[in-house]
Amino acid sequence: MIKSLKAAIVLFILLSVLTGVIYPAVVTGLAQLLFSQQANGSLINDSSGKVTGSRLIGQSFSSPGHFWGRPSATGPFPNNAGASSGSNLGPTNPALIEAVKTRIQALKDADPDNKAPIPVDLITSSGSGLDPHISPAAAEYQINRVAKAHNVKPEMIRALIDANIEDRQWGFIGEPRVNVLTLNLALDALH
Amino acid sequence: MTSNSYFQIIVYIVTLLALAKPLGWYMARVYEGESVGLNRLLAPLEALLYRLSGVNPKEEMRWTDYTFSFLIFNLLGVLAVFALQRLQAYLPFNPQSLPGVSSDSAFNTAVSFATNTNWQGYSGEVTMSYLTQMLGLTVQNFVSAAAGMATLVALIRGFTRRNADTIGNFWVDLTRSTLYILMPLSLILALVLVGQGVVQTFSPYRSVPLIETVSYEQPKLGTDGLALQDAAGKPIMESVEAKEQIIAVGPAASQIAIKQLGTNGGGFFNVNSAHPLENPTPLSNFLEMLSILLIPGALCYTFGMMVGDTRQGWAILAAMTLIFVALIFVEVPAEQSGNPALASLSVDQSATVSQSGGNMEGKETRFGITNSALWAIVTTAASNGSVNAMHDSFTPIGGMIPMWLMQLGEVIFGGVGSGLYGMIMFAIVAVFVSGLMIGRTPEYLGKKIEAYEMKMAAITILIPPLVVLGGTALAVMIDVGKASVFNPGAHGFSEVLYAFSSAGNNNGSAFGGLSANTPFYNSLLGLAMLFSRYWLAIPVLAIAGSLASKKIVPVGLGTLPTHTPLFVALLIGTVLMVGALTFVPALALGPVVEHLQMIGAK
């Protein structure tokens, strides 16, 4: 009994050091050595070297001249990368339907001529509240509004989208998507 | 479902099954103490651990000693994780200066991680210091998984030994599981995940300027720090502008790798594997999903090898896979069909080449419907419980299937070790039932199954439903239980039923709307996790001890072969009958009612 108590305590401490100190330290060391960009949050720098965001963290956009991303349910403001959260609204919750109606209205107000059905990912909140992507369909839907705001031809905007589409990984894993932040940075670079 | 959807699912299943044999073979060699490729590197370290802790690796334990060691080691884990959380404010590696965790939440999380449940009552990035995440949670991710594997190996020895009174050495099984299996796999997976974009750093959270300023309303605070109220008692709101965002980072990859491989599931961040810094790409998603079922699947082959007949392992793997695949093809279409309430709002929910469509509330664009729904099945088949989409926002049927998979007892792959020993309990019941039919004493793998084994097996099968249904009934009857419910109507009942199904089967996933971080839920769910883990593990070890002491019965004319399609069907039937009969009434009150309401609404 005493012997197994000693074994339990000593082995617990040793395994804790091994898996809770040495293992994460080794992974951190190798990660910083091999993949320092990714290990530190995939941050994007502008031409002057200033950090403008993370490639993997969606930001909130609501001006007509930018592409809008997935709605976000984080608090106290959308896309708060310090406190990730989904909406957790159930499919039959009236609050979900109300939220969707408000988002549809905002999109229609910003682009009254657009009568196309709205891609579902553009009016439903993402799981993390930080989704950096929208579907190519959701980007397509916003072309006219963005083109008008920038006073350029829609084809030009479409070409920008095409340049920012990430295909399924290895051709078949996941879904095709557009990174909203890099797309908007490319838009801003037009001027 | 699109053809790409089918293709992704098939690639996943084929990869998983293809890895079962090589990894299963490797693990069998590890447990039989034979030399494996890593010996040269790890054997000296292993010997050092034994020497320092005074363990004689050659010394065998009776089942009672084995169980005592298992329990005392788990108790130490609970105490350590509890202490780390309470004291983290005074300890290093806390760059965000997070305060100590409340005692009820700390109890819940300590139990949750020591029992391999990894129910996440807390929100990682705003609660846990880096030290707690590493020295508390990551350690338990390793050793709780290893303890489950050790229990399984002890049970297998019960079948293979004859007239023996010992079932192995717990310290050796624990150490070898950690050193030779979990650590090498985690190291590789963690580095690949970092390559995909998972963060791994000790630096504090990053502050980054936003491109567009975000304005929002928040309650105005007085000089005393309390919210100011107007004459009508409503809080006075003020407009605030956010020009910067804080990006939470940390040593995430090292923890996520073992979180998946050890079927743990507690996330580094609040939204778990939906977080782009925890699961950034479709490839990281595929690998994380593969690691969830990798070891539970391969252990079936290990089992077959150790009992000297690999067909026995394949038969069990076949039973698991058949149920698993059938449920995938219920789950994915349920989510792909979308939400009828949005159909009348000029929303496009169809699957096309440029969008995944379907029920996208709570899902991430990069995963779409297929990978979110597939993940939900994978994580609840295994007792993993990590999520890459919010299950609370799934369609009623899409939420019911994961819930039911947990209620089946976490035996469809299940947790590392615990899933297979749970399934072997069902196999014992299955041979017993068929033994009754033909009037012979049932036997399994050459061992007679008698009254003692049946009593123990019955306990393991009856305890989880008792905990799940009893806990749910209690919570929905009293006010503190009902106050935490978020969604109205039948869905609210589903939230509570899901929580107890998860804790009562050591899964850990949640319908996240339920505010479970309250003293009531933290305590009750904590107790549920304790009951379900140990009232399964202890009877299993008791069976191991009893079986080891028996002689081996030669195969005769009346022996039911347990590697045939007939037995696979019998085993599936046993699992489904117990699961269906026990839980269908409760499911009818939650997801089934909600589904009817949803399709009936006009």
Side-chain angles (χ1 to χ4, degrees):
Chain A
M1 202 72 106
I2 299 295
K3 207 177 127 213
S4 43
L5 202 59
K6 182 204 161 193
I9 293 172
V10 177
L11 203 54
F12 180 75
I13 294 170
L14 293 175
L15 287 176
S16 293
V17 171
L18 202 59
T19 60
V21 179
I22 297 176
Y23 160 73
V26 168
V27 175
T28 308
L30 289 172
Q32 292 291 338
L33 195 70
L34 298 171
F35 307 107
S36 73
Q37 227 276 326
Q38 292 93 319
N40 294 306
S42 304
L43 301 175
I44 308 175
N45 301 306
D46 64 9
S47 48
S48 64
K50 203 179 73 150
V51 176
T52 55
S54 161
R55 191 169 54 77
L56 293 173
I57 299 292
Q59 297 191 13
S60 181
F61 295 100
S62 55
S63 71
H66 277 139
F67 280 88
W68 301 357
R70 297 286 305 277
S72 161
T74 62
F77 59 92
N79 295 87
N80 177 6
S84 59
S85 172
S87 75
N88 284 315
L89 292 170
T92 56
N93 192 333
L96 171 69
I97 314 303
E98 279 316 304
V100 168
K101 281 182 178 163
T102 311
R103 292 165 190 154
I104 292 175
Q105 200 53 49
L107 283 163
K108 293 205 159 158
D109 288 348
D111 188 11
D113 301 334
N114 194 345
K115 301 283 186 255
I118 303 169
V120 65
D121 59 305
L122 203 51
I123 45 91
T124 47
S125 59
S126 66
S128 61
L130 308 172
D131 194 343
H133 300 110
I134 52 176
S135 66
E140 176 91 5
Y141 177 85
Q142 303 182 59
I143 287 180
N144 282 322
R145 187 194 73 226
V146 174
K148 217 178 280 175
H150 286 267
N151 213 1
V152 295
K153 284 213 175 77
E155 287 69 37
M156 199 171 162
I157 303 295
R158 194 182 305 272
L160 268 186
I161 294 177
D162 287 343
N164 279 280
I165 287 184
E166 296 172 38
D167 202 1
R168 290 197 165 105
Q169 216 162 352
W170 294 358
F172 71 94
I173 312 177
E175 300 294 331
R177 59 215 180 274
V178 180
N179 189 307
V180 181
L181 179 61
T182 57
L183 177 60
N184 282 333
L185 288 172
L187 262 179
D188 291 345
L190 282 179
H191 302 291
Chain B
M1 287 174 70
T2 60
S3 54
N4 170 269
S5 178
Y6 282 104
F7 188 64
Q8 293 200 54
I9 293 167
I10 291 168
V11 168
Y12 176 79
I13 295 168
V14 169
T15 312
L16 176 68
L17 295 179
L19 291 170
K21 187 172 170 177
L23 181 62
W25 174 87
Y26 172 82
M27 290 193 289
R29 290 188 63 96
V30 168
Y31 289 123
E32 283 169 344
E34 291 176 53
S35 107
V36 287
L38 290 169
N39 264 46
R40 193 176 301 186
L41 207 62
L42 293 176
L45 181 60
E46 187 191 355
L48 180 71
L49 291 180
Y50 296 149
R51 203 169 66 234
L52 292 175
S53 52
V55 169
N56 175 5
K58 298 254 177 339
E59 195 176 49
E60 292 265 331
M61 294 177 176
R62 306 169 70 88
W63 82 266
T64 43
D65 294 334
Y66 201 97
T67 308
F68 177 76
S69 309
F70 170 81
L71 292 177
I72 199 80
F73 189 78
N74 274 238
L75 178 66
L76 288 175
V78 173
L79 295 175
V81 178
F82 183 82
L84 276 168
Q85 292 178 85
R86 297 289 286 160
L87 301 173
Q88 66 178 12
Y90 311 105
L91 297 171
F93 286 101
N94 184 8
Q96 301 312 119
S97 307
L98 293 166
V101 181
S102 74
S103 58
D104 56 299
S105 176
F107 161 74
N108 182 283
T109 304
V111 167
S112 168
F113 277 73
T115 57
N116 198 248
T117 311
N118 310 77
W119 167 268
Q120 208 181 321
Y122 59 92
S123 165
E125 64 266 48
V126 296
T127 313
M128 300 296 178
S129 74
Y130 291 173
L131 187 77
T132 309
Q133 297 262 25
M134 291 190 298
L135 199 55
L137 307 186
T138 303
V139 170
Q140 287 305 312
N141 279 351
F142 274 102
V143 296
S144 71
M149 293 159 85
T151 307
L152 169 71
V153 174
L155 176 63
I156 296 176
R157 291 197 190 105
F159 284 107
T160 56
R161 295 185 174 179
R162 62 181 84 185
N163 305 328
D165 52 9
T166 59
I167 55 172
N169 183 316
F170 175 74
W171 307 120
V172 173
D173 292 337
L174 176 84
T175 307
R176 290 183 72 83
S177 300
T178 309
L179 278 189
Y180 289 88
I181 300 168
L182 297 171
M183 287 243 301
L185 284 172
S186 300
L187 188 64
I188 297 166
L189 180 64
L191 287 174
V192 177
L193 289 179
V194 177
Q196 290 296 305
V198 179
V199 287
Q200 179 73 27
T201 169
F202 295 138
S203 311
Y205 297 175
R206 293 294 302 253
S207 175
V208 174
L210 289 169
I211 295 184
E212 275 188 24
T213 303
V214 180
S215 54
Y216 61 97
E217 302 253 296
Q218 70 174 26
K220 191 170 181 171
L221 300 183
T223 45
D224 53 356
L226 294 173
L228 292 175
Q229 295 184 334
D230 63 13
K234 284 190 179 157
I236 301 173
M237 302 300 278
E238 61 178 349
S239 195
V240 188
E241 287 197 330
K243 292 192 167 65
E244 290 196 323
Q245 62 173 343
I246 305 291
I247 299 181
V249 292
S254 53
Q255 185 171 334
I256 291 156
I258 185 60
K259 148 191 141 180
Q260 308 298 31
L261 284 162
T263 60
N264 294 285
F268 193 88
F269 301 108
N270 181 39
V271 291
N272 211 293
S273 288
H275 199 294
L277 296 179
E278 188 155 335
N279 189 5
T281 66
L283 181 61
S284 70
N285 188 71
F286 180 85
L287 293 173
E288 289 185 23
M289 209 159 50
L290 184 66
S291 348
I292 295 175
L293 293 185
L294 182 66
I295 294 178
L299 278 172
C300 294
Y301 189 84
T302 308
F303 164 69
M305 246 182 94
M306 290 180 75
V307 299
D309 181 1
T310 49
R311 294 173 308 176
Q312 303 290 346
W314 289 121
I316 288 195
L317 186 59
M320 291 175 172
T321 307
L322 285 171
I323 296 178
F324 173 68
V325 172
L327 293 179
I328 291 174
F329 289 104
V330 179
E331 181 75 7
V332 180
E335 288 307 299
Q336 189 66 66
S337 65
N339 187 341
L342 304 188
S344 57
L345 298 176
S346 80
V347 173
D348 184 3
Q349 300 188 75
S350 59
T352 66
V353 285
S354 57
Q355 70 160 9
S356 77
N359 175 29
M360 282 300 285
E361 179 70 25
K363 295 192 179 66
E364 298 281 295
T365 312
R366 61 194 179 283
F367 308 139
I369 297 297
T370 305
N371 282 296
S372 303
L374 177 60
W375 182 297
I377 295 298
V378 169
T379 192
T380 50
S383 76
N384 182 276
S386 63
V387 295
N388 75 348
M390 298 300 116
H391 290 190
D392 214 349
S393 298
F394 276 27
T395 61
I397 300 298
M400 179 179 79
I401 301 295
M403 190 166 5
W404 193 53
L405 260 170
M406 299 188 291
Q407 292 165 346
L408 289 181
E410 292 298 7
V411 294
I412 310 307
F413 294 97
V416 289
S418 61
L420 185 53
Y421 70 61
M423 194 58 153
I424 292 174
M425 293 301 113
F426 274 100
I428 288 177
V429 174
V431 293
F432 176 74
V433 170
S434 49
L436 287 184
M437 288 183 202
I438 54 168
R440 265 186 63 105
T441 308
E443 49 198 74
Y444 185 50
L445 305 173
K447 290 291 170 91
K448 273 206 169 99
I449 304 300
E450 292 168 297
Y452 182 76
E453 287 77 29
M454 275 316 296
K455 280 183 204 156
M456 293 296 137
I459 289 176
T460 67
I461 286 170
L462 292 176
I463 289 281
L466 185 73
V467 169
V468 172
L469 295 174
T472 307
L474 179 65
V476 296
M477 277 191 299
I478 60 177
D479 289 336
V480 284
K482 286 185 283 191
S484 290
V485 170
F486 175 64
N487 281 291
H491 196 95
F493 174 74
S494 300
E495 286 181 348
V496 179
L497 180 61
Y498 196 101
F500 282 94
S501 301
S502 178
N505 289 285
N506 297 124
N507 178 276
S509 71
F511 270 13
L514 184 77
S515 308
N517 196 356
T518 63
F520 172 75
Y521 278 104
N522 276 331
S523 317
L524 201 58
L525 292 171
L527 291 175
M529 293 186 269
L530 282 175
F531 263 103
S532 299
R533 175 75 165 179
Y534 300 111
W535 280 105
L536 263 64
I538 296 171
V540 164
L541 288 169
I543 291 182
S546 158
L547 289 178
S549 68
K550 294 185 185 206
K551 62 180 195 296
I552 295 201
V553 190
V555 176
L557 271 179
T559 306
L560 173 77
T562 50
H563 60 267
T564 58
L566 176 70
F567 181 73
V568 171
L570 196 64
L571 182 56
I572 291 175
T574 310
V575 172
L576 294 187
M577 283 302 279
V578 173
L581 292 177
T582 319
F583 289 104
V584 161
L587 291 171
L589 293 174
V592 174
V593 166
E594 194 192 11
H595 178 71
L596 295 175
Q597 285 172 333
M598 186 179 81
I599 59 170
K602 283 279 176 282

